[in-house]
Amino acid sequence: MAILFGRNTFLKLAPESSYGVTGSYKTNAVRVIDVSMQTTQQRDRSNHLSSSDGAIAQSTFDQFRESGGSLSVPLYYSGSTLLLKALIGNITTTGGGPNYTHQLKSNTTSLDSFTLALQRGSDSTGGQEVFTGCMINSGTISITAGEEASLSLDIIAKDSAARASGLTPTYNTTQKRVQHYETSVDLTFNGQTYKVRSFEMTIENSLERRNVLGSKLTESPDVTDFRSVVVSVELDAQNNNLYNAMLAGTESSLVIKFDETGSTNYMEFTLNNSIITDYSDPISTVGRLSQSVTFTALAGASTEALKLEIQNTLDAANALNT
């Protein structure tokens, strides 16, 4: 029997017009960095007192059937918007071509669901597993000096089908991944700019499964607590501006922007009304000192906490293409 390998793992995505109902798959496959999606059937001992003479339970019953897991994929200027919208919330597209601007904003709790068809590595006979009713509980966009940007997601799904024969991918050969050297606007906060070594933005959607009588599967998960948008950065210490802003509770917008090399495509992150909620600059070396700073976005009276603006050549009808 052949050994299975993880190489050539990929996935395909399909929006859902209603929860758990698969729409049309996007043409292009999505490359995968790592994935741990699966379905688990929970079982527990029956609650009656009958047992063997050795006090061993004699039966079990099915509890909930839970699907989901974690997923990390490359972050592209063109091709990541379907997942980003499912993570953030709303999208509006403007422009008359060839460039279009997509603004994703965290101003809704009505989050998209989608179907995810996963090809599990080299398994051509049983490597395809289709997860329906996927919703993103949390997600992190991260980029570090010397590395490429990635999008890591924690996904709650409704169910998955039995593993079946493998998929064949078609990839978008022109899309470009966000690179560490493409920062065009350094991190800006309270009128000051900072060159950072790493940038990590985490969105927590506070989704919770919703189980009811009549099914082992969850209904559409709901936002059951406050959502949050947090940015963490590492940088070389140059002054006490950020330390003083932390002590003073200074509230300001936070901006960082990446421009695709040789293109008009860009990706700009804006946290409105952000405040420093964690700061650290310990000394344990004779060398350069570092600052670790965490910013938390707050919603304003008329502004959303997060705006992610992406410019590429996809019009409104194709904005969510992979």
Side-chain angles (χ1 to χ4, degrees):
M1 184 175 294
I3 300 297
L4 302 178
F5 295 90
R7 54 179 175 258
N8 295 321
T9 293
F10 65 89
L11 57 90
K12 297 192 71 174
L13 299 173
E16 295 179 350
S17 57
S18 58
Y19 182 68
V21 180
T22 304
S24 299
Y25 281 99
K26 299 300 181 181
T27 300
N28 294 315
V30 178
R31 302 178 195 274
V32 170
I33 299 171
D34 60 68
V35 61
S36 65
M37 298 281 292
Q38 69 173 59
T39 294
T40 301
Q41 175 59 65
Q42 299 176 343
R43 291 186 176 89
D44 197 6
R45 177 181 61 81
S46 294
N47 62 0
H48 57 70
L49 302 181
S50 299
S51 71
S52 69
D53 291 341
I56 303 297
Q58 294 178 322
S59 63
T60 63
F61 73 100
D62 289 352
Q63 293 179 303
F64 300 130
R65 179 179 165 105
E66 294 189 347
S67 296
S70 63
L71 169 69
S72 294
V73 296
L75 180 67
Y76 295 104
Y77 291 100
S78 178
S80 296
T81 315
L82 189 154
L83 291 174
L84 291 171
K85 181 178 184 293
L87 171 63
I88 297 172
N90 281 332
I91 186 171
T92 57
T93 299
T94 58
N99 296 317
Y100 297 88
T101 302
H102 316 283
Q103 288 191 349
L104 297 110
K105 298 181 179 180
S106 59
N107 57 357
T108 181
T109 58
S110 180
L111 303 177
D112 289 353
S113 67
F114 56 93
T115 295
L116 186 156
L118 174 65
Q119 172 58 39
R120 300 175 54 84
S122 64
D123 187 356
S124 60
T125 58
Q128 178 189 177
E129 189 168 10
V130 177
F131 294 85
T132 56
C134 295
M135 296 184 71
I136 299 176
N137 186 38
S138 65
T140 299
I141 294 171
S142 57
I143 186 165
T144 301
E147 298 181 4
E148 297 177 297
S150 61
L151 173 62
S152 300
L153 306 171
D154 177 64
I155 295 174
I156 295 175
K158 181 176 184 178
D159 197 12
S160 68
R163 294 178 180 178
S165 57
L167 292 166
T168 300
T170 298
Y171 291 111
N172 183 337
T173 58
T174 61
Q175 65 184 178
K176 301 297 182 183
R177 192 169 176 180
V178 179
Q179 301 289 341
H180 69 98
Y181 51 80
E182 293 179 324
T183 308
S184 60
V185 176
D186 289 322
L187 189 83
T188 304
F189 177 77
N190 196 30
Q192 303 292 318
T193 59
Y194 303 91
K195 292 187 177 295
V196 299
R197 289 197 302 270
S198 65
F199 170 86
E200 183 176 280
M201 182 180 76
T202 298
I203 300 171
E204 294 283 351
N205 284 330
S206 298
L207 294 180
E208 187 174 293
R209 296 180 188 270
R210 185 161 58 95
N211 294 101
V212 297
L213 293 177
S215 177
K216 292 185 283 186
L217 308 178
T218 180
E219 299 291 304
S220 176
D222 296 314
V223 176
T224 60
D225 203 344
F226 287 102
R227 301 174 71 201
S228 65
V229 183
V230 174
V231 164
S232 298
V233 297
E234 296 276 345
L235 66 157
D236 294 326
Q238 293 181 294
N239 53 51
N240 291 315
N241 290 345
L242 294 172
Y243 178 64
N244 292 334
M246 178 271 295
L247 293 175
T250 301
E251 190 174 311
S252 170
S253 61
L254 179 80
V255 178
I256 190 170
K257 183 181 180 184
F258 298 86
D259 285 357
E260 181 181 327
T261 303
S263 170
T264 56
N265 294 348
Y266 67 78
M267 189 174 291
E268 183 179 57
F269 301 82
T270 302
L271 269 65
N272 295 306
N273 313 307
S274 61
I275 190 170
I276 297 175
T277 51
D278 192 41
Y279 176 94
S280 177
D281 59 356
I283 300 175
S284 60
T285 177
V286 297
R288 287 192 300 266
L289 300 182
S290 296
Q291 295 172 317
S292 300
V293 188
T294 300
F295 302 86
T296 297
L298 303 173
S302 59
T303 57
E304 65 288 333
L306 168 66
K307 180 182 72 175
L308 174 56
E309 183 169 294
I310 303 171
Q311 179 170 288
N312 54 40
T313 58
L314 296 176
D315 60 17
N318 297 292
L320 303 186
N321 283 359
T322 52

